[in-house]
Amino acid sequence: GPDRRPHIGSDMRKLGLIGGLSWTSTARYYEIINQAIHRAKGGQHSARLLIESLDFAQVSGCITQEDWDCASGHLIGAAQRLEQGGAEALLICANSMHRIYDRIQASITIPIIHIADVVGTRMKADRIDRAALIGTRNVMTEKYYRQRLVSHGVSLLPADVALAERIDRIVYDELTVGKINRDSERFMKSELTDIAKEDVQAVVLACTELEMIVDVKANVLPIYDCTEIHAMAGVDFILSE
């Protein structure tokens, strides 16, 4: 049509982030993506991003009441605004919100890059057969996330419900409000040490906040940090032709 000015000197695709789920993890996505674009393109380059950052109090209220219709409304609105704003693909910057992935994807025409798919693909490439999944209660115990990972050929340890409950408290009471608690850090370290004694080859850190208190590099077992892997899948999209 008329006045279709070319994007001057930018061959990068525009990515949309649904964030604020919580803002602490969204900040991490922003950092990982921009650092990677700078490494790839050099100079003054940074990523072309649209961020729809939701008020987490509204969304987390829905989840603690298990009202996924309420959460869907918030996320669908965000996804539609990002599509209207010119995003060509989306990331939902939270593992737990992928419970309503299908509803959100059905509400727009651009693709949403699924966090468990990119993690499963990476693990399959690394030939990981058995892993432990760690995250908040809904991620650790419900089928929507486990089945998506298992479909990539990974078998998972049964969910440890007591651990999931403790992680829920750490995430919602501490990490999402930016509190770093040394006891929680020590707790996670000892849990990971125990898991390493099980018959597993790796741990999937399926909570975008947990890397605030888990050193993903310094562990007995390889740790698949979903935040990092998901953000880097976003980078691949931005740089794709």
Side-chain angles (χ1 to χ4, degrees):
D3 195 27
R4 292 285 300 189
R5 286 188 299 264
H7 293 299
I8 310 296
S10 182
D11 49 355
M12 288 189 277
R13 302 178 83 170
K14 192 188 274 192
L15 181 68
L17 307 182
I18 301 180
L21 307 166
S22 63
W23 72 263
T24 50
S25 65
T26 307
R28 185 78 187 113
Y29 273 86
Y30 190 77
E31 182 178 41
I32 293 168
I33 291 169
N34 280 300
Q35 283 171 345
I37 293 296
H38 176 70
R39 280 196 303 273
K41 299 192 78 79
Q44 298 289 332
H45 284 293
S46 57
R48 296 173 63 228
L49 295 171
L50 288 178
I51 304 177
E52 177 77 38
S53 197
L54 297 168
D55 175 3
F56 192 52
Q58 294 184 326
V59 183
S60 68
C62 301
I63 293 162
T64 47
Q65 298 148 18
E66 298 295 325
D67 181 359
W68 289 98
D69 289 339
C70 151
S72 297
H74 290 294
L75 271 79
I76 285 170
Q80 289 172 339
R81 290 188 291 273
L82 288 166
E83 181 171 32
Q84 285 153 11
E88 297 167 80
L90 301 185
L91 301 183
I92 302 166
C93 300
N95 289 272
S96 56
M97 296 299 160
H98 283 70
R99 188 178 194 271
I100 46 178
Y101 172 91
D102 293 334
R103 291 196 217 179
I104 306 164
Q105 181 63 86
S107 74
I108 55 173
T109 61
I110 56 174
I112 306 174
I113 300 166
H114 194 298
I115 194 167
D117 283 342
V118 294
V119 173
T121 301
R122 172 84 63 91
M123 292 173 83
K124 187 173 192 171
D126 293 345
R127 298 197 168 85
I128 300 288
D129 301 320
R130 285 183 61 72
L133 175 67
I134 289 186
T136 54
R137 187 171 47 85
N138 90 41
V139 170
M140 250 172 101
T141 61
E142 293 186 35
K143 283 197 285 234
Y144 73 93
Y145 200 94
R146 300 179 74 86
Q147 284 180 341
R148 201 99 185 198
L149 268 182
V150 168
S151 73
H152 294 272
V154 186
S155 72
L156 298 171
L157 282 188
D160 175 341
V161 179
L163 174 59
E165 296 290 350
R166 175 77 191 261
I167 289 175
D168 259 22
R169 289 199 298 278
I170 292 171
V171 170
Y172 291 111
D173 300 346
E174 298 166 19
L175 302 180
T176 55
V177 291
K179 270 188 209 157
I180 305 292
N181 179 321
R182 294 289 164 240
D183 287 339
S184 299
E185 229 165 7
R186 279 192 290 271
F187 171 75
M188 288 307 301
K189 193 165 191 153
S190 74
E191 281 296 321
L192 287 165
T193 308
D194 288 348
I195 288 168
K197 297 172 187 149
E198 305 256 7
D199 175 26
V200 289
Q201 300 158 288
V203 172
V204 181
L205 203 62
C207 169
T208 52
E209 276 83 24
L210 276 178
E211 59 145 41
M212 293 165 68
I213 57 166
V214 172
D215 184 348
V216 293
K217 306 234 174 350
N219 264 288
V220 202
L221 280 177
I223 291 188
Y224 284 78
D225 174 11
C226 295
T227 309
E228 169 94 27
I229 296 167
H230 198 209
M232 291 306 292
V235 170
D236 290 343
F237 176 81
I238 290 169
L239 296 173
S240 65
E241 292 305 317

